[in-house]
Structures are given as C-alpha cells and as structure tokens.
Amino acid sequence: MKRLLAFAAAAAALLLSGCGYNDIQRRDEGVNAAWSEVVNQYQRRADLIPNLVNTVKGYAQQEQEVLTRVTEARSRVGQMQVTPETLNDPQAFQRFQQAQGDLSSALSRLLVVVEKYPDLKSDKNFLELQAQLEGTENRIAVARNRYIKAVQEFNVLVREFPVNLTAMVFGYKPKANFTVENEREISNA
C-alpha cells in the first residue's frame, strides 16, 4: 500500500511538473508588469501636456482650437480606467489604444503649430518640455516593445502542447497585442 501511495505521489508530481501552470503564471505576471510600464509612460506623457499647452498658449493665442483638442484628448485619456483586466477585454483595450492614438495625433498637430512661431521654438521652457516629450515618446516605444514581447511569449506558451491543456483548464487565453489603426496609411511613405 505504501509503495502504491508513493508511486501515485511520484506520478502526480511528474505529471504536474510538466503541466506548465507555473510558467503560465510567470509569463502572465510578465505581461502585467510590461503593461504597467506602458501605462506609466503614457501617464508621464499626459502629465507633461498641461505644461506644454500653457507654454504654447503664451505665444499662440490664435491657435486655440489646436490647444483645445490637445486638452480634450488628454482629458479623455485621463478619464480611462486602465487596469490589468483591460488586457483581457479586447474592447476596453481597443478604447485605450484609440484614446492614446487621438492624443498622439493632437500632439502632432500642436507641434506643427509650433513651427509657425520662431520665438516659441527658441523659448527655453518650450525646448525643455519638447525634449521631455520626445524622451517620453521614446520611453513609450520601448515600453510598448517590451509589452509586445511579453505578450508574444505568453501567447506562444498558452498555445504550446501540453501547456495549452493546462491553459484551457484554468481559462487562460492569448492576450491582445498593440495594433496600428491606420496600418495602410503608415505603410506608404
């Protein structure tokens, strides 16, 4: 009886060690950590925007429409409740991406406006804010790349045999990744 019990325990340990549950947990946490960094960098960008808008306002009062669009886009981003559960809700993830894309577009229009004002382009405060914004955009790109890699590793793991069986039992599904809304437009030079 003892031998049978020992054999059953050894067989269970062997079966469970190959199920991949711990690997799924590790990769899932990696995705969540990478996502948190993406959100952190987007928040950093959102925090810089009021200073940038106020600096431009002093020079470009007649560009009120562009400044209003930037402020509204930032407000929409700030109102979004972004949680790790967002990763498991494709519609919420899409709304998040759309809001960030709108903010990026509004910032691009703002920087086009800046080109019209040579005094603004040489203002120390503006130059510093612009440098911080450029650095933040680079950080966002790095954080998104890390997130994309973490999602790729997670998605490959939950699709591999025999781990896919464990993933099905515990309800793990592939995670959504960043997409580009206007892929056809940006593929043309």
Side-chain angles (χ1 to χ4, degrees), residues 20 23-24 27 153-160 163-164:
D23 290 334
I24 292 172
R27 298 279 169 80
E153 290 172 358
F154 177 85
N155 289 349
V156 166
L157 180 68
V158 298
R159 289 181 176 142
E160 287 179 337
V163 179
N164 66 337

Side-chain angles (χ1 to χ4, degrees), residues 37-53 70 73-78 96-108 110-111 129-130 132-141 144 178:
E37 183 59 23
V38 169
V39 172
N40 180 39
Q41 294 307 324
Y42 277 133
Q43 184 61 50
R44 184 177 193 274
R45 177 175 71 173
D47 292 344
L48 286 172
I49 290 171
N51 297 330
L52 186 66
V53 168
V70 170
R74 182 195 179 271
S75 176
R76 281 191 300 276
V77 165
F96 176 81
Q97 283 186 264
Q98 181 65 44
Q100 291 299 335
D102 291 346
L103 182 56
S104 293
S105 178
L107 281 173
S108 295
L110 178 63
L111 294 177
L129 286 168
Q130 188 177 20
Q132 286 186 27
L133 192 59
E134 288 170 359
T136 299
E137 291 298 329
N138 288 337
R139 289 177 181 189
I140 288 170
R144 283 180 65 165
F178 278 103

